[in-house]
Amino acid sequence: MVTNFPTKLTTWFKFNIWQSRRGIQDVVISMIPQLVTVVTGFITSVLIARGLGPAGMGQYALVQSISSLAASLSDLGVGQTAIRYASQAIACNDTLTQHAVLRWAFRLRIILIILVTLAFFVLAPILANSIWHSTVLTPLIRLGLFVGIFTALASVPMIYFQSRKQFGMNAAVLVGQSLMAFGGILVLAWFNHWSVSGVITTTLVSTGLGALVFLLLIPKTAILVRQDFAKLTWQNFWRSPQTNPTSSSKLDDTSADKFAFFMLLSTVIVMLTLRADVWLMGIFLDNSQIGIYSVAMRFTLPLTIILNGLNTALWPRASGLTKMTETVTLLKKTFKLSLWVALGGVVYAIFVPLIAPWIFGDKYASSVFLAQLLSLRYCLAILTCPVGVISYSFGFVRILWLINLVQFIVVVFANILLLPVHGPIGSAIALIINDTIGLLVMGILTTKYIHAKQSLL
């Protein structure tokens, strides 16, 4: 039994590591900008937390939640749909279709971000006065909305390079954007001119510059062409271009329009779910507790790096597969690697948050346990990632929004029940419940689907 161990270890390495080395390389490259974002973001959070204090940090967290929501609502699954169908076109060497899909996605994002920004601009006084009971938040929310506009534009180069599996260029764009944002905060810290409005203005300027600079790297035909507007009508403005039949996945025959519609439903529900914690804390808790929760979230950044790296590398790769055997093999390999990463994340979750008081100050000591819970939640998300992404190749986009809706309802009720009793810890527990539901349900559905298909072969 001992003599077989080296052979088994070699076989495991070849199957799980060596044969997946290109995918691992893409994940690592995709993690580089996330790592830069974590390092700069962590330093930024320390500077902002110390400069604004818990109350100011709480106000900033509320404003940031609205601006990030506005940027996310401008996507509504359009970006993921564009990457999916552009990747399929690239697999067939169909550059014209790829650019047509990307132009369609760009048009939608522009009109959506304008509509969303106008809506939140009008709703700002209601959010600030009636819900969060803070009149000073109204102008801050409106200022932060412009950050959302530039954030939406900054995502365009990422979608282009990710669809082409050019993860090196994608990483370079994201690193450049992160460094610009970090540079702005360093200037603010240098002059020691701390205020919530100052932080938002600095973020606005740096995000805007990053978006405009890196948009120049994209071919014009992937953004706008005059011919599109010559035949553009209100009806075909929203309709995605027809993809080549040979580029359609044999596993899933969902059209781009239908895929985008179901992704819209899922995206909206997930966005509301992931922001329910801060919004409900704004109702039940004071700003200082929100600030402590925001600091605790900073310790999840390294795990966010890994999760985003997996998503970035896996989404176009899974979208281009057309055979069940290839897709199942990718799922098995990715899930096994994710399991090892998640186990390492558990070790991180237990020990690293202990340094919170030393980094942020003694007034943030209560964020330690919060950070541990929130980090464990991301370990669950890492496990769910490969199952969730690859399930789209099985046509699960039609039912995922229903699963997301159940998760949203559970998270909201859990927050309402737990926040008044346990404070911010209640929100952390609600998120853990959310990801546990996702992992179990998606795991069961995917396993049953694969077994059913394999039994027919």
Side-chain angles (χ1 to χ4, degrees), residues 270-271 273-275 277 293 296-297 299-301 303-304 307-308 311 342 345-346 348-350 369-385 407 411 425-439:
V270 170
M271 283 190 301
T273 302
L274 296 182
R275 288 165 177 79
D277 52 357
Y293 184 85
M297 283 293 293
F299 283 93
T300 67
L301 290 176
L303 299 175
T304 305
L307 181 60
N308 290 340
N311 262 311
V346 171
Y348 168 91
I350 295 173
F369 185 55
L370 268 173
Q372 291 172 328
L373 290 177
L374 292 169
S375 297
L376 288 173
R377 174 250 166 173
Y378 269 92
C379 294
L380 290 171
I382 289 171
L383 277 179
T384 309
C385 175
Q407 291 175 287
V411 166
I425 292 176
S427 289
I429 295 173
L431 288 175
I432 291 176
I433 296 173
N434 171 70
D435 284 277
T436 301
I437 292 173
L439 178 60

Side-chain angles (χ1 to χ4, degrees), residues 67 71 143-152 200-201 203-205 207:
S67 64
L143 181 62
L145 288 173
F146 291 96
V147 178
I149 294 176
F150 287 122
T151 300
I200 297 172
T201 302
T203 305
L204 172 63
V205 173
T207 305

Side-chain angles (χ1 to χ4, degrees), residues 60-328:
Y60 178 67
L62 291 171
V63 173
Q64 193 178 40
S65 72
I66 297 298
S67 64
S68 62
L69 175 61
S72 298
L73 285 174
S74 72
D75 182 89
L76 295 178
V78 173
Q80 289 175 302
T81 303
I83 293 171
R84 178 177 178 81
Y85 289 92
S87 297
Q88 291 180 6
I90 286 296
C92 298
N93 297 316
D94 189 353
T95 304
L96 291 178
T97 300
Q98 179 217 6
H99 285 191
V101 170
L102 294 175
R103 290 196 304 272
W104 164 76
F106 180 76
R107 291 198 306 268
L108 291 188
R109 292 213 69 167
I110 293 298
I111 192 67
L112 286 173
I113 191 61
I114 292 174
L115 293 175
V116 170
T117 299
L118 289 175
F120 276 119
F121 195 89
V122 173
L123 292 173
I126 299 175
L127 292 171
N129 302 334
S130 302
I131 298 178
W132 292 327
H133 312 294
S134 179
T135 56
V136 298
L137 285 177
T138 298
L140 297 176
I141 291 174
R142 287 174 169 172
L143 181 62
L145 288 173
F146 291 96
V147 178
I149 294 176
F150 287 122
T151 300
L153 291 176
S155 69
V156 175
M158 178 197 71
I159 293 174
Y160 173 79
F161 291 116
Q162 191 177 345
S163 69
R164 297 186 61 86
K165 299 185 182 70
Q166 293 179 342
F167 298 107
M169 281 299 300
N170 184 52
V173 170
L174 292 174
V175 167
Q177 292 173 348
S178 296
L179 291 179
M180 285 187 178
F182 181 55
I185 295 299
L186 286 181
V187 171
L188 194 65
W190 176 265
F191 290 101
N192 196 29
H193 188 66
W194 291 107
S195 66
V196 178
S197 60
V199 173
I200 297 172
T201 302
T202 302
T203 305
L204 172 63
V205 173
S206 58
T207 305
L209 288 175
L212 295 177
V213 168
F214 291 108
L215 276 173
L216 298 176
L217 299 175
I218 306 301
K220 292 181 180 178
T221 54
I223 301 177
L224 292 171
V225 293
R226 186 177 301 176
Q227 290 82 354
D228 284 348
F229 292 93
K231 56 183 179 181
L232 196 63
T233 65
W234 178 254
Q235 184 179 10
N236 63 29
F237 177 89
W238 301 98
R239 182 179 299 169
S240 66
Q242 295 296 317
T243 55
N244 191 317
T246 59
S247 69
S248 298
S249 171
K250 296 179 181 178
L251 294 175
D252 178 27
D253 59 357
T254 306
S255 67
D257 288 323
K258 290 183 179 179
F259 191 92
F261 173 73
F262 288 116
M263 283 298 296
L264 180 151
L265 295 177
S266 288
T267 303
V268 170
I269 296 170
V270 170
M271 283 190 301
L272 294 174
T273 302
L274 296 182
R275 288 165 177 79
D277 52 357
V278 175
W279 291 348
L280 290 172
M281 280 190 282
I283 297 174
F284 292 103
L285 307 178
D286 57 48
N287 286 339
S288 63
Q289 288 180 290
I290 300 174
I292 289 171
Y293 184 85
S294 179
V295 164
M297 283 293 293
R298 305 302 177 183
F299 283 93
T300 67
L301 290 176
L303 299 175
T304 305
I305 288 182
I306 299 171
L307 181 60
N308 290 340
L310 283 170
N311 262 311
T312 300
L314 191 57
W315 187 263
R317 180 170 276 99
S319 298
L321 297 180
T322 59
K323 297 179 180 179
M324 173 63 75
T325 54
E326 295 175 343
T327 306
V328 172

